[in-house]
Amino acid sequence: MPRRDTPRQAGAGQRGARPEGVAVATAEAGPSDHVTSSRRPPRRGEARAAPAAVMAARLVPAVKFVIKGGLAGAAVYVAYDQGLLGSSTQGAEALKKAQAALPPAIQEWTSYIGWELPPTPKFDFSPSDSWNKGVQTVMSALSVAPTRASEYTVEGWKYVKDLIK
């Protein structure tokens, strides 16, 4: 039986011939031989995305945004309602209310869960007093700054004059 030469074998000895196993781009290329875009229509036999699935995929980010926005709005509302966004005296009153209400609530939840926590430390701390002390210190430093600057300038000139002599 005579052996037939395939197209690859026939061109093996010719100049510019391709080695075996190298694909040739032809007009008869199959669907997997070319690059497809992500927005091509589905081919025969391929599954299409259901309209409900596409709609759900687009709604999930919107629902997440609405939930996060609602939680942020609720947090701002509660902070305003409790007086945390008001004056320093309102903030101090809100802190006292929280210090009075939190330990019983925590105790109730820990007994419900079955945990035992150490007792909370007692301390007397007033944020408004601390804030006022800090503001007074800064304002005091700013009020004496021009006087101190002139005093340091005079001392500096005296030092330079002594070095020159």
Side-chain angles (χ1 to χ4, degrees):
M1 203 162 160
R3 185 172 157 193
R4 289 185 163 177
D5 288 324
T6 62
R8 282 191 187 154
Q9 291 171 339
Q14 296 176 0
R15 184 176 156 182
R18 286 179 290 287
E20 257 191 73
V22 175
V24 179
T26 63
E28 301 165 3
S32 63
D33 293 339
H34 67 296
V35 177
T36 59
S37 68
S38 61
R39 300 187 56 87
R40 65 168 176 75
R43 294 191 185 98
R44 200 176 334 166
E46 285 185 343
R48 291 183 178 207
V54 172
M55 188 172 184
R58 291 183 180 173
L59 277 178
V60 168
V63 169
K64 286 172 58 176
F65 177 75
V66 168
I67 289 172
K68 289 178 183 179
L71 288 173
V76 170
Y77 173 76
V78 168
Y80 178 77
D81 189 46
Q82 296 298 319
L84 295 175
L85 302 178
S87 66
S88 63
T89 56
Q90 288 176 335
E93 290 172 11
L95 179 64
K96 288 178 185 174
K97 285 194 310 190
Q99 286 176 339
L102 279 178
I106 292 173
Q107 183 63 33
E108 180 182 340
W109 277 99
T110 55
S111 64
Y112 177 76
I113 295 173
W115 292 348
E116 186 174 332
L117 296 176
T120 57
K122 304 291 182 198
F123 60 92
D124 186 26
F125 175 73
S126 174
S128 61
D129 291 344
S130 300
W131 171 261
N132 290 340
K133 180 66 175 168
V135 169
Q136 288 171 356
T137 304
V138 169
M139 290 301 145
S140 168
L142 288 175
S143 68
V144 298
T147 307
R148 294 291 167 111
S150 65
E151 290 174 1
Y152 292 147
T153 304
V154 169
E155 287 179 18
W157 277 113
K158 284 182 184 177
Y159 179 76
V160 170
K161 286 179 183 178
D162 289 344
L163 284 177
I164 293 175
K165 288 184 184 182

